[in-house]
Amino acid sequence: MLLHEISLSLALIALAAAPERNAVKIGDPIGKLRFTDIHYLPRTLEDFGPKKAFVLVFTTTSCPLAQRYLPVLQAMAQQYRSKEVQFVAVNAAEEDSIIAMATEAVRCGLEFPCVKDFDGSCARGLGVRRTPEAVVLDGKHRLRYRGRIDDQYRLGGEIGRAHV
């Protein structure tokens, strides 16, 4: 397990050090994102109806930080639902199955959509490089934020502040 974590860390460092070519910049419009939901249905952001904002959080079922954030994201999704903000968990792991994602959604009591980015086109199209990484799009699908959810959790520890 330790060797796997070290390999994953090295891969993430290499990705972070790689130059970003054609990276989507803040304010850029985003093309149509296509993914598959946990019911095996093809989806796009348009399927969620008009919203003031979309918060896409890239996760995997094996990322310890993503796992720690799921309850926080559920609370945030509930808090911002009435403000027309749509949360979406986007699974970016090639090895994660839809069944594993659905199981995780049920286990965590997630009430917002969980989708699979099978070919990595959503992550590439948004410039996402790691998990968990959050992307905020405005209602016109322009990139407004891409980065950490917050600074609460990190590999090796936590700050200990309250969320939400």
Side-chain angles (χ1 to χ4, degrees), residues 42-101:
R43 297 283 183 205
T44 66
L45 291 179
E46 288 77 12
D47 293 331
F48 303 123
K51 301 292 179 190
K52 291 183 179 175
F54 296 88
V55 178
L56 291 86
V57 180
F58 285 75
T59 68
T60 70
T61 61
S62 60
C63 174
L65 294 179
Q67 299 308 301
R68 293 183 83 177
Y69 271 113
L70 289 175
V72 173
L73 294 170
Q74 174 58 34
M76 291 174 72
Q78 286 178 330
Q79 179 181 356
Y80 287 96
R81 183 179 302 139
S82 65
K83 296 176 175 142
E84 298 180 55
V85 176
Q86 178 67 60
F87 278 70
V88 181
V90 182
N91 183 287
E94 190 175 314
E95 66 276 7
D96 285 346
S97 68
I98 296 240
I99 292 171
M101 292 170 44

Side-chain angles (χ1 to χ4, degrees), residues 6-163:
I6 291 170
S7 296
L8 179 61
S9 296
L10 290 174
L12 291 175
I13 290 168
L15 276 175
E20 288 188 48
R21 289 182 230 133
N22 303 321
V24 179
K25 294 175 183 56
I26 301 299
D28 283 354
I30 301 301
K32 186 169 253 180
L33 301 175
R34 298 177 190 283
F35 29 74
T36 303
D37 71 14
I38 58 176
H39 304 288
Y40 292 91
L41 296 173
R43 297 283 183 205
T44 66
L45 291 179
E46 288 77 12
D47 293 331
F48 303 123
K51 301 292 179 190
K52 291 183 179 175
F54 296 88
V55 178
L56 291 86
V57 180
F58 285 75
T59 68
T60 70
T61 61
S62 60
C63 174
L65 294 179
Q67 299 308 301
R68 293 183 83 177
Y69 271 113
L70 289 175
V72 173
L73 294 170
Q74 174 58 34
M76 291 174 72
Q78 286 178 330
Q79 179 181 356
Y80 287 96
R81 183 179 302 139
S82 65
K83 296 176 175 142
E84 298 180 55
V85 176
Q86 178 67 60
F87 278 70
V88 181
V90 182
N91 183 287
E94 190 175 314
E95 66 276 7
D96 285 346
S97 68
I98 296 240
I99 292 171
M101 292 170 44
T103 301
E104 177 180 73
V106 170
R107 181 180 53 79
C108 295
L110 301 182
E111 298 172 1
F112 55 89
C114 297
V115 301
K116 179 77 174 167
D117 182 14
F118 275 109
D119 62 1
S121 62
C122 294
R124 282 190 307 278
L126 294 167
V128 170
R129 300 168 59 86
R130 62 190 51 85
T131 62
E133 189 164 355
V135 172
V136 178
L137 305 176
D138 66 19
K140 295 182 180 179
H141 300 182
R142 289 182 306 239
L143 181 65
R144 294 302 175 192
Y145 175 81
R146 175 183 52 234
R148 295 176 66 166
I149 297 167
D150 64 17
D151 64 354
Q152 176 78 20
Y153 300 119
R154 62 191 179 282
L155 287 174
E158 63 184 78
I159 291 176
R161 291 184 296 115
H163 285 285

